[in-house]
Amino acid sequence: MSEHQDGRLRTRWRRSTRTIIAAAALCAATTALASGPTAGPANAGVNLAGRGSAHVSLAAAAPSRVAVGNGHTCAIRTDGALWCWGSNRSGQVGDGTTTNRTAPVRVGTATTWASADAGTSHTCAVQTDGTLWCWGSNSRSQLGDGTTTNRTTPVRVGTATSWASVSAGDSHTCAVRTDGTLWCWGFNRNVQLGVGSSPYIVAAPVQVGTATNWASVTTGYAHTCATRTDGTLWCWGDSSNGQLGLGILSYKATPTQVGTATAWTGVTAGYAHTCAVRTEGTLWCWGENGYGQLGVSVAYQTSPIQVGTATTWTRAGASLDSSCATRTDGSMWCWGKNASGQLGDGTTTHRYVPTRVGTATTWTNDFAVTYHSCALRTDGGLWCWGDNTSGQLGDGTTTHRSAPAQVNLPA
């Protein structure tokens, strides 16, 4: 089937980062020891090709944000410069070409990039002046520039200067403004824009409802979830695998509250599953679970189910069929599909419970997972692992790695 006949064609989708967190969180480090799931192998020197883990010395200006798409990666340095690499067929690297890059290349000359997110084959980023820019694939108007033309360099989305954060999905994009309003655009086949069943494609940002207390948003393949400042959680779009957490296996065309809890601090949408963290540090997931991406032993789950009993989770990130999360002690844990080594435990074994990534206790809350994963550490910049077919690990090769390897951003 074509991708339009089968909305579940996984080869086109990844789940990124969701909105990249603020710099202050990157410097947070605590020493609270968390109890939880059994740790996986800590053999962090093994990769899919059988070579040792690579370590590249970091340049003076360290990365402060990271986002990953299906086959590309972007990072913002502390000096505000933006660098991308990997798959570039649709121009998602943003360097004005469609040439794959196995090492970081700079996107323009601006030093005012504040946050970014990577979709399947497009990228969007916010600058410090509140402007929003997108580039890459635009076949479903996911760039929001009113066209369906692919862009190989950043193109500004409208004229607003009040964008706070952005989330890029497969073929749709959503963003929150500083006034608390929520906006979406792109493909609406599965009512993932939250504005009803029509139009089928929205070429420029359209406001979702009238609420002015949206705090964050995350876009999956064909569903979207968002939190409000009152701690409530809302989802809409496709729920054929229960990924909306509403106890249904159908669709919701407009935002619908998930349960009655008012303690949600963040949410992340994967291909067909969703995970979220509450204020008391508990982690909850729901939706499809074919590879254990929910971190619990169920076939699928149509309502939120707690992952283990730990109360020290700080942030979760969901992707195709994989999930990762960090804890207050600085450890990172991943679970679900691991065919490309994207769980970072030194193997390609699928994991059905959270499995620890090495022994480091310096992971920040800034990380992203798809077929490959990247994350920031307080003691040494940016680390990536997993699939490297298009050079998305940024080490100058196309060698897959199943354990974290440090990435160098040019000076």
Side-chain angles (χ1 to χ4, degrees):
M1 287 186 178
S2 75
E3 67 198 49
H4 310 304
Q5 293 171 314
D6 180 8
R8 295 174 45 78
L9 186 61
R10 300 174 183 278
T11 55
R12 283 205 69 245
W13 198 81
R14 63 41 105 222
R15 175 50 232 142
S16 103
T17 27
R18 289 307 168 211
T19 303
I20 299 175
I21 62 170
L26 304 180
C27 299
T30 67
T31 56
L33 183 62
S35 61
T38 304
N43 51 338
V46 182
N47 59 54
L48 303 189
R51 299 181 183 175
S53 175
H55 183 284
V56 184
S57 60
L58 214 67
S64 64
R65 312 282 196 280
V66 66
V68 300
N70 237 23
H72 74 292
T73 307
C74 291
I76 299 173
R77 296 194 317 193
T78 54
D79 62 2
L82 175 63
W83 298 74
C84 296
W85 58 94
S87 178
N88 197 27
R89 182 176 181 180
S90 299
Q92 59 265 47
V93 168
D95 67 343
T97 76
T98 54
T99 302
N100 289 357
R101 303 295 184 179
T102 60
V105 293
R106 187 166 177 181
V107 180
T109 59
T111 57
T112 53
W113 297 104
S115 66
D117 196 42
T120 295
S121 299
H122 75 292
T123 310
C124 292
V126 177
Q127 291 196 14
T128 54
D129 62 0
T131 57
L132 175 62
W133 304 73
C134 294
W135 58 97
S137 177
N138 199 26
S139 60
R140 294 292 180 265
S141 294
Q142 57 264 48
L143 301 189
D145 67 347
T147 77
T148 55
T149 302
N150 290 357
R151 305 291 186 178
T152 61
T153 57
V155 59
R156 187 170 172 181
V157 180
T159 59
T161 57
S162 57
W163 297 105
S165 64
V166 63
S167 179
D170 175 67
S171 298
H172 77 294
T173 306
C174 293
V176 175
R177 288 187 181 175
T178 55
D179 61 2
T181 57
L182 174 63
W183 303 72
C184 293
W185 57 94
F187 204 27
N188 197 36
R189 179 179 183 268
N190 295 287
V191 295
Q192 58 263 54
L193 299 188
V195 295
S197 58
S198 65
Y200 191 71
I201 292 177
V202 175
V206 59
Q207 187 173 350
V208 180
T210 59
T212 57
N213 63 342
W214 294 105
S216 70
V217 65
T218 176
T219 51
Y221 175 80
H223 76 291
T224 307
C225 292
T227 58
R228 289 186 177 177
T229 54
D230 61 4
T232 57
L233 173 62
W234 303 70
C235 292
W236 59 95
D238 179 25
S239 195
S240 56
N241 288 279
Q243 58 264 49
L244 298 189
L246 302 173
I248 63 173
L249 294 172
S250 54
Y251 298 81
K252 284 291 183 180
T254 56
T256 304
Q257 187 173 351
V258 179
T260 59
T262 57
W264 299 104
T265 60
V267 62
T268 176
Y271 175 85
H273 76 290
T274 308
C275 293
V277 175
R278 291 186 181 175
T279 53
E280 75 275 12
T282 57
L283 174 63
W284 303 73
C285 293
W286 56 95
E288 187 180 10
N289 199 35
Y291 289 93
Q293 56 265 47
L294 301 188
V296 294
S297 298
V298 295
Y300 62 91
Q301 185 70 27
T302 62
S303 298
I305 184 171
Q306 189 173 351
V307 181
T309 59
T311 57
T312 54
W313 298 105
T314 56
R315 179 181 175 261
S319 178
L320 286 133
D321 294 311
S322 306
S323 306
C324 291
T326 46
R327 290 187 176 176
T328 54
D329 65 354
S331 62
M332 176 176 286
W333 304 70
C334 295
W335 59 97
K337 190 173 184 179
N338 197 26
S340 299
Q342 60 263 52
L343 302 188
D345 67 348
T347 78
T348 54
T349 302
H350 307 318
R351 303 292 182 181
Y352 295 85
V353 295
T355 302
R356 189 165 177 178
V357 181
T359 59
T361 56
T362 53
W363 297 105
T364 74
N365 282 342
D366 202 322
F367 63 89
V369 54
T370 62
Y371 291 114
H372 71 293
S373 304
C374 291
L376 298 181
R377 280 178 23 179
T378 59
D379 65 345
L382 175 64
W383 298 70
C384 294
W385 59 93
D387 184 70
N388 198 28
T389 302
S390 300
Q392 56 264 51
L393 300 189
D395 62 1
T397 77
T398 54
T399 302
H400 306 317
R401 300 190 180 280
S402 62
Q406 197 170 358
V407 181
N408 174 52
L409 292 185

